[in-house]
Amino acid sequence: MEIKVMKNILGENDKIAEENRAMFREKNVTVVNLMGSPGSGKTTLLEKTLEKISGRISAAVIEGDLFTARDAERIERLGVPVVQINTAGGCHLDAAMVKRAAESLELEKIQLLIVENVGNLVCPAEFDVGENFKATVLSITEGDDKPLKYPLIFKESAVVLLNKIDLLPYTNFDLAAAREDLSTIHPNVEIIETSCTTGAGLDAWADWLAGVI
Ligand code: MG
Ligand code: ZN
Protein backbone atom coordinates (compact mmCIF):
# COMPACT_ATOMS: atom_id res chain seq x y z
CA MET A 1 0.00 0.00 0.00
CA GLU A 2 2.70 2.45 0.92
CA ILE A 3 4.51 1.73 -2.30
CA LYS A 4 1.43 2.59 -4.32
CA VAL A 5 0.96 5.90 -2.52
CA MET A 6 4.59 6.79 -3.11
CA LYS A 7 4.26 6.04 -6.81
CA ASN A 8 1.20 8.27 -7.07
CA ILE A 9 3.00 11.12 -5.35
CA LEU A 10 5.95 10.79 -7.69
CA GLY A 11 3.65 10.55 -10.71
CA GLU A 12 1.96 13.83 -9.79
CA ASN A 13 5.31 15.43 -9.02
CA ASP A 14 6.75 14.37 -12.37
CA LYS A 15 3.81 15.94 -14.18
CA ILE A 16 4.40 19.30 -12.50
CA ALA A 17 8.16 18.95 -13.04
CA GLU A 18 7.56 18.63 -16.77
CA GLU A 19 5.37 21.76 -16.69
CA ASN A 20 8.19 23.55 -14.88
CA ARG A 21 10.72 22.37 -17.45
CA ALA A 22 8.50 23.63 -20.28
CA MET A 23 8.12 27.01 -18.53
CA PHE A 24 11.89 27.30 -18.01
CA ARG A 25 12.62 26.25 -21.60
CA GLU A 26 10.22 28.85 -22.92
CA LYS A 27 12.01 31.55 -20.91
CA ASN A 28 15.48 30.22 -21.77
CA VAL A 29 16.32 29.55 -18.15
CA THR A 30 18.74 26.74 -17.28
CA VAL A 31 17.97 25.22 -13.91
CA VAL A 32 20.45 23.48 -11.64
CA ASN A 33 19.16 21.55 -8.64
CA LEU A 34 21.93 21.85 -6.04
CA MET A 35 21.85 19.10 -3.46
CA GLY A 36 23.98 17.81 -0.61
CA SER A 37 24.00 17.10 3.12
CA PRO A 38 23.50 19.76 5.78
CA GLY A 39 26.91 21.28 6.36
CA SER A 40 28.38 20.20 3.02
CA GLY A 41 28.83 23.89 2.21
CA LYS A 42 26.11 24.37 -0.40
CA THR A 43 25.26 27.94 0.52
CA THR A 44 28.85 29.12 0.86
CA LEU A 45 29.67 27.50 -2.47
CA LEU A 46 26.61 29.19 -3.93
CA GLU A 47 27.73 32.59 -2.63
CA LYS A 48 31.20 32.11 -4.13
CA THR A 49 29.68 30.88 -7.39
CA LEU A 50 27.39 33.89 -7.67
CA GLU A 51 30.33 36.24 -7.06
CA LYS A 52 32.34 34.37 -9.68
CA ILE A 53 29.66 34.50 -12.40
CA SER A 54 28.50 38.02 -11.60
CA GLY A 55 28.51 40.13 -14.78
CA ARG A 56 28.88 36.98 -16.89
CA ILE A 57 25.66 35.08 -16.20
CA SER A 58 22.42 36.55 -14.88
CA ALA A 59 21.40 34.25 -12.07
CA ALA A 60 18.64 33.80 -9.53
CA VAL A 61 18.25 31.43 -6.61
CA ILE A 62 15.49 29.43 -5.00
CA GLU A 63 16.47 28.53 -1.44
CA GLY A 64 14.93 25.47 0.13
CA ASP A 65 15.17 25.26 3.88
CA LEU A 66 13.29 23.57 6.66
CA PHE A 67 12.37 26.63 8.71
CA THR A 68 14.69 29.61 8.39
CA ALA A 69 15.45 32.25 5.77
CA ARG A 70 19.12 32.47 6.76
CA ASP A 71 20.51 31.14 3.51
CA ALA A 72 18.21 33.33 1.42
CA GLU A 73 19.37 36.38 3.40
CA ARG A 74 22.96 35.50 2.55
CA ILE A 75 22.11 35.34 -1.17
CA GLU A 76 20.09 38.55 -1.04
CA ARG A 77 23.15 40.40 0.28
CA LEU A 78 24.84 39.66 -3.05
CA GLY A 79 22.07 41.48 -4.91
CA VAL A 80 20.88 38.28 -6.56
CA PRO A 81 17.12 37.66 -6.85
CA VAL A 82 16.18 34.96 -4.36
CA VAL A 83 12.99 33.25 -3.26
CA GLN A 84 12.80 31.32 -0.03
CA ILE A 85 10.82 28.12 0.28
CA ASN A 86 10.31 26.87 3.82
CA THR A 87 9.26 23.26 3.78
CA ALA A 88 8.19 23.38 7.47
CA GLY A 89 10.11 20.21 8.21
CA GLY A 90 9.74 18.61 4.79
CA CYS A 91 13.03 17.02 3.84
CA HIS A 92 13.08 17.85 0.12
CA LEU A 93 11.70 20.31 -2.41
CA ASP A 94 9.06 19.12 -4.83
CA ALA A 95 8.04 20.43 -8.23
CA ALA A 96 4.96 22.29 -6.96
CA MET A 97 7.02 24.25 -4.43
CA VAL A 98 9.53 25.22 -7.10
CA LYS A 99 6.73 26.18 -9.48
CA ARG A 100 5.23 28.61 -6.95
CA ALA A 101 8.63 30.07 -6.15
CA ALA A 102 9.62 30.43 -9.82
CA GLU A 103 6.40 32.27 -10.57
CA SER A 104 7.55 35.12 -8.36
CA LEU A 105 10.83 35.55 -10.30
CA GLU A 106 11.27 37.58 -13.48
CA LEU A 107 12.32 34.58 -15.51
CA GLU A 108 12.86 36.52 -18.74
CA LYS A 109 15.78 38.30 -17.07
CA ILE A 110 17.39 35.10 -15.81
CA GLN A 111 19.77 32.73 -17.61
CA LEU A 112 20.59 30.47 -14.70
CA LEU A 113 18.35 29.47 -11.82
CA ILE A 114 20.04 27.60 -9.01
CA VAL A 115 17.73 25.72 -6.65
CA GLU A 116 19.41 24.95 -3.34
CA ASN A 117 17.57 21.91 -2.10
CA VAL A 118 17.01 20.94 1.53
CA GLY A 119 20.15 19.39 3.04
CA ASN A 120 19.67 15.66 2.55
CA LEU A 121 21.32 12.97 0.43
CA VAL A 122 18.21 10.81 0.08
CA CYS A 123 14.85 12.02 -1.23
CA PRO A 124 15.86 15.26 -3.03
CA ALA A 125 17.27 12.88 -5.65
CA GLU A 126 13.84 11.27 -6.09
CA PHE A 127 11.89 14.47 -6.65
CA ASP A 128 12.34 16.04 -10.06
CA VAL A 129 11.68 19.78 -9.70
CA GLY A 130 11.94 20.51 -13.42
CA GLU A 131 15.67 21.11 -13.42
CA ASN A 132 17.99 20.58 -16.37
CA PHE A 133 20.84 19.31 -14.21
CA LYS A 134 21.36 18.02 -10.72
CA ALA A 135 24.59 18.88 -8.93
CA THR A 136 25.62 17.36 -5.61
CA VAL A 137 28.01 18.83 -3.10
CA LEU A 138 29.94 16.22 -1.14
CA SER A 139 32.38 17.64 1.35
CA ILE A 140 35.58 15.90 2.32
CA THR A 141 34.56 15.97 5.99
CA GLU A 142 31.51 13.78 5.28
CA GLY A 143 33.62 10.74 4.42
CA ASP A 144 34.46 8.87 1.24
CA ASP A 145 31.82 6.19 1.88
CA LYS A 146 28.91 8.46 0.92
CA PRO A 147 28.78 7.68 -2.83
CA LEU A 148 28.27 3.96 -2.16
CA LYS A 149 25.86 4.63 0.72
CA TYR A 150 23.69 7.07 -1.25
CA PRO A 151 24.18 5.99 -4.87
CA LEU A 152 20.99 7.45 -6.33
CA ILE A 153 21.87 11.10 -5.77
CA PHE A 154 25.30 10.62 -7.35
CA LYS A 155 23.88 8.60 -10.23
CA GLU A 156 21.38 11.40 -10.95
CA SER A 157 23.92 14.22 -10.74
CA ALA A 158 25.65 15.60 -13.80
CA VAL A 159 28.27 17.13 -11.52
CA VAL A 160 29.67 16.24 -8.13
CA LEU A 161 31.51 18.97 -6.27
CA LEU A 162 34.05 17.47 -3.88
CA ASN A 163 33.99 20.41 -1.54
CA LYS A 164 36.30 21.54 1.28
CA ILE A 165 39.12 19.89 -0.67
CA ASP A 166 41.58 22.01 1.35
CA LEU A 167 40.74 19.83 4.36
CA LEU A 168 41.93 16.66 2.64
CA PRO A 169 45.25 16.46 4.56
CA TYR A 170 43.38 16.58 7.88
CA THR A 171 40.97 13.70 7.18
CA ASN A 172 41.20 10.06 6.18
CA PHE A 173 39.09 10.77 3.09
CA ASP A 174 40.40 8.56 0.28
CA LEU A 175 40.09 10.76 -2.78
CA ALA A 176 41.05 8.05 -5.27
CA ALA A 177 38.50 5.65 -3.78
CA ALA A 178 35.75 8.30 -3.83
CA ARG A 179 36.49 9.14 -7.47
CA GLU A 180 36.53 5.46 -8.36
CA ASP A 181 33.19 4.83 -6.61
CA LEU A 182 31.61 7.87 -8.25
CA SER A 183 32.77 6.72 -11.67
CA THR A 184 31.37 3.25 -11.04
CA ILE A 185 27.99 4.63 -9.97
CA HIS A 186 27.90 7.19 -12.78
CA PRO A 187 30.52 6.71 -15.52
CA ASN A 188 30.13 10.13 -17.15
CA VAL A 189 29.87 12.20 -14.00
CA GLU A 190 31.85 15.43 -13.91
CA ILE A 191 33.84 15.69 -10.70
CA ILE A 192 35.14 19.08 -9.60
CA GLU A 193 37.25 19.51 -6.48
CA THR A 194 36.34 22.78 -4.82
CA SER A 195 37.29 24.86 -1.82
CA CYS A 196 35.61 28.08 -0.81
CA THR A 197 38.60 28.80 1.45
CA THR A 198 41.31 28.60 -1.20
CA GLY A 199 39.07 29.21 -4.22
CA ALA A 200 40.20 25.94 -5.81
CA GLY A 201 37.90 24.65 -8.53
CA LEU A 202 35.56 27.64 -8.50
CA ASP A 203 36.63 28.73 -11.99
CA ALA A 204 36.11 25.20 -13.31
CA TRP A 205 32.64 25.12 -11.75
CA ALA A 206 31.76 28.58 -13.11
CA ASP A 207 32.96 27.46 -16.56
CA TRP A 208 30.81 24.33 -16.30
CA LEU A 209 27.78 26.50 -15.51
CA ALA A 210 28.61 28.89 -18.37
CA GLY A 211 28.73 25.85 -20.63
CA VAL A 212 25.19 24.72 -19.83
CA ILE A 213 23.27 27.99 -20.08
MG1 MG B 1 22.34 26.03 2.84
ZN1 ZN C 1 12.30 14.19 1.65
Side-chain angles (χ1 to χ4, degrees):
M1 197 61 190
E2 272 175 38
I3 291 168
K4 192 176 174 198
V5 171
M6 189 65 186
K7 272 189 182 161
N8 288 343
I9 290 169
L10 286 175
E12 177 63 17
N13 184 74
D14 285 351
K15 207 182 103 216
I16 301 168
E18 282 312 320
E19 291 168 11
N20 286 356
R21 222 178 324 272
M23 166 178 71
F24 294 134
R25 196 187 306 119
E26 194 196 309
K27 307 279 184 184
N28 278 315
V29 180
T30 299
V31 182
V32 175
N33 184 356
L34 187 66
M35 306 181 293
S37 297
S40 57
K42 294 184 296 303
T43 310
T44 304
L45 187 77
L46 189 49
E47 287 174 305
K48 297 287 178 189
T49 304
L50 293 168
E51 284 170 7
K52 197 55 107 176
I53 64 176
S54 167
R56 183 179 177 192
I57 302 171
S58 69
V61 171
I62 292 176
E63 270 294 341
D65 256 307
L66 298 171
F67 300 107
T68 73
R70 288 189 184 183
D71 290 355
E73 285 159 8
R74 288 167 62 182
I75 302 304
E76 197 167 40
R77 269 179 231 138
L78 301 172
V80 172
V82 57
V83 184
Q84 175 73 52
I85 300 173
N86 278 141
T87 60
C91 47
H92 60 269
L93 296 180
D94 65 29
M97 295 174 193
V98 168
K99 179 173 213 163
R100 278 195 300 277
E103 281 167 357
S104 64
L105 287 166
E106 292 184 274
L107 292 177
E108 38 288 300
K109 294 184 179 168
I110 297 162
Q111 294 170 288
L112 174 69
L113 174 62
I114 301 181
V115 179
E116 184 185 334
N117 217 308
V118 178
N120 180 350
L121 286 177
V122 187
C123 42
E126 293 169 11
F127 284 80
D128 184 355
V129 298
E131 73 277 344
N132 300 102
F133 301 98
K134 290 182 168 81
T136 296
V137 182
L138 170 63
S139 71
I140 296 303
T141 49
E142 291 172 69
D144 54 34
D145 56 346
K146 296 304 172 291
L148 291 182
K149 281 189 167 179
Y150 303 95
L152 180 66
I153 200 164
F154 297 102
K155 194 181 161 112
E156 291 271 318
S157 294
V159 192
V160 174
L161 300 149
L162 289 178
N163 196 31
K164 309 187 188 179
I165 196 72
D166 55 300
L167 299 180
L168 193 60
Y170 311 106
T171 67
N172 57 5
F173 190 98
D174 185 336
L175 188 57
R179 281 181 161 276
E180 169 92 33
D181 291 343
L182 287 168
S183 300
T184 304
I185 293 162
H186 186 173
N188 296 317
V189 71
E190 178 87 23
I191 301 169
I192 305 175
E193 296 171 12
T194 54
S195 165
C196 294
T197 307
T198 67
L202 296 178
D203 283 320
W205 167 229
D207 287 346
W208 188 90
L209 289 169
V212 297
I213 60 165

